Amino acid sequence: MKNLALARKWRPKNFETIVGQEFIVEALKNSILGDRLHHAYLLSGTRGVGKTTIARIFAKCLNCHTGSNPTPCCECSSCVEIDQSKSIDVIELDAASNTQVDNMRELLENANYQPTSSKYKIFIIDEVHMLSKSSFNAMLKTLEEPPEHVIFILATTDPEKIPVTVISRCLHFNLMQMTNDEISGQLQNIFYEENIAYEDEAINMISKHADGSMRDALSLADRVINYTNGNVSLEKLTQILGITSDGVIDELLTNILDNNKQKVLDLLNKLKEHHISYESALKVLSEKIFAISEEQTFGGGNKSIQRGKQVSLQLLQTLYQISINGLKDLPFSPSQHIGFRMTIIRLLNFIPTNNVNAIQLEKEQINHNESIENHEPKKKKTIENIQIDNWDHVVDQIKPGMAKTLAQNCVVKSQEDNFLYLIVDDRFKHLNNDKYIKILEESLYTIYGEKIKIEINEETVTSTPAQKKQIEKDDALKVATDSIKTDSKIENILNEFDAQIIESTIKSTKIN
Ligand SMILES: [Zn+2]
């Protein structure tokens, strides 16, 4: 028994040991208890979620010699034979290898005979969507007038491919993918029972890699156990999977965003030494970029993302697109290694050289917003809070109008007690009048709860909020222009039609 694969050994034998799928299990149990059985059930769901396992348990419930009930005895000859796939009254068919109508006719002829030693004759047809059209037609005839003792349990990964005439005669259950937590929990139980040492991180990685399939999780666990002689460690697991631990990709992405080329190169060389799967590395990288975007859009999602790492959403979109394209292009690259490195180079090329400033600027914005959202008793803001470098944020809070335009074209020169001295850009000096200054003073009173006197001088200035916004827009336009110029699809179109890009028509989608 020691060498029996975990997936087979730990296959649930009754409804109580099934992990997840509570609603379906409950519905099937109730249909037995209430004696409301259908002649055909359809179980759909991705591979490895337990469709045939549930089908077999249901068959045991129906045919148990102690009488149909939701908790089969698992000891009578019917239960034991179903567990061993030997029951003469439970016929299992894999449609993937029996698509011909003859097989189906043979099967359905069998349906007309009474069960040999049980209450029902049960047909479990796996991957039923693979049946040919004529096989489905043959089946439909039986489904339309099913013999009293016949029950079909159909399983499929692709219900879309089953004719609606068949689906409409089935009670359809869609099995949910198992969550990572459900898989992790089950793995912990099994490892404990099997006396296998494990690391929590390794369990988490197996769950993540199994992508909702308990069967995949267990077969991966089997591989690690065989490879390590019963010690499931993260290090061995990453070797088997040919993947990197998340930490290395985190570090790589951080340094790409910081435009730290030397460190990126060091990491690339380090990755090469470890013979990783570049496909999985690119997938993890895309996941990380997605996670940052999600964190920035909805907030509070992924705790593993450093909040300090603020990059514009537009840039993240571009980076995501590049890494996904890199993944698609990987099979066409001279080698996986070159394909991966090329993608990293493209990512680096799209990091604006002023990104460090952009990060700083956005950090301030975030901190600022957080302080506004903070529900703790607010510290009273005073004139000391208005600093030259947060004038932009003050301006953002002023209501739109000419006074705001005036503020947008001013910089703070100095401040003294409750006096604020500003300089207005020469070109906007016509707005420098008492009416707008009064509105600005009122706005500051609303923001700071304190009377602040404003005095504005006229000079040539170059760093007003409006001017800074324009520079940001120019940068965004440059990124957009670069991305169009380096896009291989656009290049193909240009060559194909002998066309030209009119640069003046390019617009950045960043909304300001
Ligand atoms: Zn039984």
Side-chain angles (χ1 to χ4, degrees), residues 60 63-67 69 72-80:
K60 269 160 66 178
N63 274 358
C64 181
H65 288 169
T66 62
N69 73 90
C73 74
C74 290
E75 285 170 357
C76 69
S77 59
S78 169
C79 285
V80 171

Side-chain angles (χ1 to χ4, degrees), residues 120 192 240 314 381 413 443 497 512:
Y120 296 100
Y192 176 78
I240 287 176
Q314 185 208 21
K381 291 174 182 175
K413 185 184 181 191
S443 301
F497 296 101
N512 259 323

Side-chain angles (χ1 to χ4, degrees), residues 184-209:
S184 295
Q186 180 69 348
L187 285 175
Q188 277 170 357
N189 285 341
I190 293 174
F191 289 170
Y192 176 78
E193 293 290 334
E194 295 279 335
N195 226 347
I196 291 164
Y198 63 87
E199 290 172 8
D200 286 341
E201 293 94 340
I203 286 210
N204 290 340
M205 184 167 274
I206 293 176
S207 312
K208 200 175 141 196
H209 216 77

Side-chain angles (χ1 to χ4, degrees), residues 375-387:
H375 293 294
E376 283 167 18
K378 280 178 195 157
K379 200 176 126 233
K380 195 181 171 196
K381 291 174 182 175
T382 66
I383 182 71
E384 277 81 24
N385 294 124
I386 304 181
Q387 295 295 330

Side-chain angles (χ1 to χ4, degrees), residues 36-292:
R36 281 176 274 105
L37 293 176
H38 282 247
H39 282 288
Y41 294 83
L42 174 63
L43 306 176
S44 61
T46 50
R47 55 186 295 277
V49 290
K51 298 182 293 294
T52 49
T53 299
I54 288 182
R56 280 187 199 153
I57 294 173
F58 191 48
K60 269 160 66 178
C61 293
L62 296 174
N63 274 358
C64 181
H65 288 169
T66 62
S68 294
N69 73 90
T71 47
C73 74
C74 290
E75 285 170 357
C76 69
S77 59
S78 169
C79 285
V80 171
E81 283 167 9
I82 293 173
D83 274 339
Q84 296 171 345
S85 300
K86 284 181 187 162
S87 171
I88 202 161
D89 293 320
V90 177
I91 297 110
E92 288 192 40
L93 181 84
D94 180 8
S97 51
N98 291 286
T99 54
Q100 295 308 309
V101 68
D102 285 347
N103 297 63
M104 188 47 68
R105 287 223 180 93
E106 205 177 296
L107 190 81
L108 296 171
E109 271 167 25
N110 195 338
N112 291 320
Y113 300 107
Q114 287 291 324
T116 315
S117 60
S118 315
K119 195 170 174 187
Y120 296 100
K121 188 154 253 180
I122 300 168
F123 296 89
I124 299 176
I125 306 179
D126 198 11
E127 296 299 355
V128 68
H129 64 272
M130 299 288 281
L131 288 178
S132 64
K133 201 178 164 195
S134 43
S135 292
F136 272 125
N137 283 337
M139 185 200 270
L140 196 58
K141 283 196 185 117
T142 312
L143 285 179
E144 278 164 352
E145 284 173 52
E148 211 31 52
H149 58 270
V150 165
I151 288 178
F152 283 96
I153 309 175
L154 313 176
T156 181
T157 48
D158 198 350
E160 305 274 314
K161 288 195 183 139
I162 301 174
V164 280
T165 45
V166 171
I167 290 192
S168 66
R169 289 176 195 282
C170 296
L171 195 56
H172 184 179
F173 293 107
N174 186 29
L175 278 72
M176 295 295 146
Q177 277 203 325
M178 293 178 73
T179 64
N180 286 0
D181 285 349
E182 283 169 345
I183 293 179
S184 295
Q186 180 69 348
L187 285 175
Q188 277 170 357
N189 285 341
I190 293 174
F191 289 170
Y192 176 78
E193 293 290 334
E194 295 279 335
N195 226 347
I196 291 164
Y198 63 87
E199 290 172 8
D200 286 341
E201 293 94 340
I203 286 210
N204 290 340
M205 184 167 274
I206 293 176
S207 312
K208 200 175 141 196
H209 216 77
D211 204 16
S213 159
M214 195 68 219
R215 193 200 306 157
D216 285 358
L218 288 176
S219 92
L220 181 53
D222 268 331
R223 279 166 64 196
V224 189
I225 292 163
N226 286 333
Y227 182 63
T228 61
N229 218 357
N231 188 348
V232 183
S233 71
L234 185 64
E235 193 194 345
K236 296 289 177 197
L237 184 63
T238 52
Q239 282 172 10
I240 287 176
L241 291 172
I243 55 178
T244 54
S245 66
D246 282 16
V248 182
I249 302 292
D250 263 337
E251 206 182 340
L252 184 66
L253 182 58
T254 304
N255 283 289
I256 290 172
L257 293 175
D258 287 345
N259 211 355
N260 190 346
K261 294 197 175 81
Q262 186 53 50
K263 190 77 187 124
V264 169
L265 185 62
D266 292 347
L267 285 164
L268 285 175
N269 292 337
K270 189 173 157 193
L271 285 173
K272 193 182 177 193
E273 282 168 22
H274 283 84
H275 303 288
I276 58 150
S277 147
Y278 288 109
E279 187 186 335
S280 98
L282 274 179
K283 276 187 188 161
V284 175
L285 188 68
S286 311
E287 277 171 21
K288 301 272 173 204
I289 298 172
F290 159 74
I292 301 176

